[in-house]
Amino acid sequence: MTRLTENQSKNTTSLPDGPQSPGFLQIIQKIFYYLEYLDAARERYGDIFTMRSPGFPPTVILSDPQAIQEVFTADLSLFDTGTKILQPLLGEYSLIQLDGLPHQRRRKLLMPPFHGERMRTYAELICDITEQVMSQWTLGKPFCVRSSMQEITLRVILRAVFGIDQGERFEQLRQLLGSWLDSFNSPLRSSFLLVKFLQKDLGAWSPWGRFLRQKQQIDALLIAEIRERQTQPNSSREDILSLMISARDEEGQPMAEEELRDDLMTLLFAGHETTASALAWAFYWIHHLPEVREKLMSELDTLSPDLDPSAIAKLPYLNAVCSETLRIYPVALFSFSRTVKSPLELMGYQLEPGTVLAPCIYLTHQNASIYPEPKRFKPERFLERQFSPYEYLPFGGGNRRCLGSALALFEMKLVLATVLSRANLVLADKRPVRSVRRGFTFTPSDGVRMVMTGSR
Ligand code: HEM
């Protein structure tokens, strides 16, 4: 990627070709048929194309690994990477809105609890919570896997962030977060997050009004917890909120209350919705394809009965199943977009300031020259070769790469190993499952319904 001088950029601006469907049709496609829309656009225009939507700057969709590498490894001064689209969900002070140095500093502060030894301390918690949730399943009675997984992942992230997940405030927070997130649990209900003119507060019973009121209640609970912690500091606590409260910037200033609140919200949201959808997909594929289940069960049978978490984390086939799950239908179709700040050249195109670049995780993962038979679920591909971070990017990349990727993978493996070693499950219905929109992420349609047929 080259930065262009003012003279070079004059009259040379060029954008890749792309679909020209009318604005209204595009909205419908993006809400209900986004994967099909992207597949068709790539088929016609190739690995780099431009999406033009009324009221938005042109967006260049990238699924060529070389282009993605150039964007992920470019000098940070070339792009604006803060994203405003999640503001209604996460608030205006979330790290997701930050850019440049302030963003780097905030990441450094939030990173340690999600890596290495600290993360391993969550192992027992993840397995215990999984067993508690499994105990609510009734033999022979269908249940929604995604909802059960969401209960597990929400409780895990609440515990990691606050150090506890019990008590009246947490029960309220857990319930409110669940029902708030369910307010966009279908493609249709997601539309008000994506279409600005639907964002009208017409009272507590209107979708947007209800959404805003629930968000205010959640914010109030978070603020109450922050204030309580600030007035009763406890230096022995190691949870993420305690670390955030004691952190100081270079001028010795603590994080402001709004920053603490919005980052808590970011971690709670990003840290459980995504993993729950990925787990629901994994259960679907494992039970949809008997040969996958058989291979996985023989690998799990090599574990000692106490299910040692570090042994689970190292199982090669389980790792391949999780990787393939995140490849075939990634939970996030795109990594956060990057907005060009000064004229530059990318893959022979001269891009103007304001152009948006969107590395497309879904299309990169569907590239048949990297992944032969891309629509087939084949964990073996991850045993046969290694993919570069620009070919396989379920957690995005560059300076905004997912903060919780290690926790998410660890959690997926522990939950799968715990459930599959303790219970026999079957899919409750044979209908094909599609990847559908749930707010800004993508999830299996109907959440995958399964039945427990016995214990192991
Ligand atoms: C399977 C589960 C998950 C998937 C597929 C996923 C995916 C992603 C993706 C694609 C991004 C955008 C990266 C980019 O733009 O390059 C992201 C960002 C982020 N994720 Fe995750 N994520 C998952 C789980 C988690 C968990 C468990 C946490 C818990 C802390 C988390 C926290 C975050 C945060 C804070 C960001 C924003 C990073 C930044 O702006 O610097 N995610 N995630």
Side-chain angles (χ1 to χ4, degrees), residues 147-441:
S147 307
S148 289
M149 294 305 122
Q150 183 145 343
E151 194 175 336
I152 296 172
T153 55
L154 178 55
R155 287 182 57 186
V156 168
I157 194 74
L158 277 171
R159 174 68 85 87
V161 167
F162 296 107
I164 44 170
D165 70 342
Q166 275 158 2
E168 203 184 324
R169 189 177 293 146
F170 287 96
E171 203 34 49
Q172 272 179 295
L173 197 52
R174 205 163 66 78
Q175 288 184 6
L176 260 171
L177 273 169
S179 75
W180 184 62
L181 294 172
D182 274 347
S183 56
F184 42 84
N185 69 357
S186 72
L188 184 64
R189 294 170 98 190
S190 305
S191 52
F192 68 87
L193 279 180
L194 306 169
V195 184
K196 271 256 171 279
F197 69 78
L198 295 179
Q199 296 178 359
K200 297 230 163 56
D201 182 358
L202 302 173
W205 296 104
S206 65
W208 192 245
R210 191 174 133 80
F211 173 85
L212 292 180
R213 280 161 187 76
Q214 285 189 329
K215 171 81 169 73
Q216 280 160 3
Q217 286 174 285
I218 295 170
D219 281 352
L221 288 170
L222 293 176
I223 292 284
E225 184 65 21
I226 292 168
R227 289 187 182 158
E228 195 175 297
R229 293 291 181 93
Q230 282 168 328
T231 50
Q232 301 163 11
N234 176 349
S235 58
S236 65
R237 295 190 77 132
E238 289 199 323
D239 55 79
I240 297 166
L241 176 55
S242 303
L243 295 179
M244 287 160 78
I245 288 178
S246 57
R248 296 291 177 269
D249 68 11
E250 266 135 45
E251 277 104 51
Q253 292 304 311
M255 279 173 78
E257 193 171 82
E258 301 79 26
E259 293 172 337
L260 287 167
R261 178 199 64 201
D262 291 354
D263 273 352
L264 287 179
M265 193 63 210
T266 304
L267 295 176
L268 291 177
F269 171 73
H272 88 284
E273 272 269 303
T274 44
T275 316
S277 287
L279 272 164
W281 269 123
F283 277 105
Y284 169 77
W285 289 115
I286 292 165
H287 294 87
H288 178 64
L289 299 170
E291 66 281 11
V292 172
R293 183 170 185 277
E294 228 164 84
K295 276 195 197 169
L296 188 56
M297 291 316 292
S298 14
E299 192 181 65
L300 291 174
D301 285 343
T302 63
L303 291 168
S304 58
D306 63 341
L307 298 181
D308 170 21
S310 46
I312 295 174
K314 289 191 204 116
L315 292 175
Y317 194 68
L318 178 61
N319 184 57
V321 167
C322 293
S323 304
E324 180 68 344
T325 299
L326 292 168
R327 178 197 70 83
I328 192 163
Y329 290 126
V331 178
L333 299 193
F334 291 92
S335 126
F336 291 137
S337 50
R338 274 72 171 164
T339 307
V340 174
K341 282 215 274 208
S342 55
L344 56 83
E345 198 236 275
L346 172 71
M347 308 293 286
Y349 295 101
Q350 327 285 313
L351 308 176
E352 284 227 20
T355 309
V356 175
L357 302 178
C360 184
I361 301 172
Y362 169 69
L363 286 180
T364 311
H365 288 183
Q366 290 294 319
N367 186 331
S369 64
I370 310 171
Y371 303 101
E373 301 183 275
K375 301 277 177 212
R376 271 192 62 198
F377 186 87
K378 280 204 304 189
E380 287 69 20
R381 50 177 114 238
F382 285 90
L383 300 173
E384 287 156 8
R385 66 160 280 204
Q386 289 227 317
F387 299 96
S388 82
Y390 317 109
E391 294 171 328
Y392 182 65
L393 51 147
F395 297 104
N399 66 327
R400 302 208 83 96
R401 189 176 187 279
C402 175
L403 216 73
S405 59
L407 172 63
L409 269 177
F410 189 52
E411 195 173 353
M412 281 178 77
K413 291 177 185 177
L414 294 191
V415 173
L416 287 168
T418 307
V419 172
L420 295 171
S421 313
R422 308 268 189 256
N424 286 322
L425 301 175
V426 291
L427 289 170
D429 102 45
K430 301 257 178 296
R431 272 179 304 173
V433 174
R434 286 180 63 225
S435 172
V436 295
R437 187 182 277 286
R438 181 183 160 97
F440 293 107
T441 58

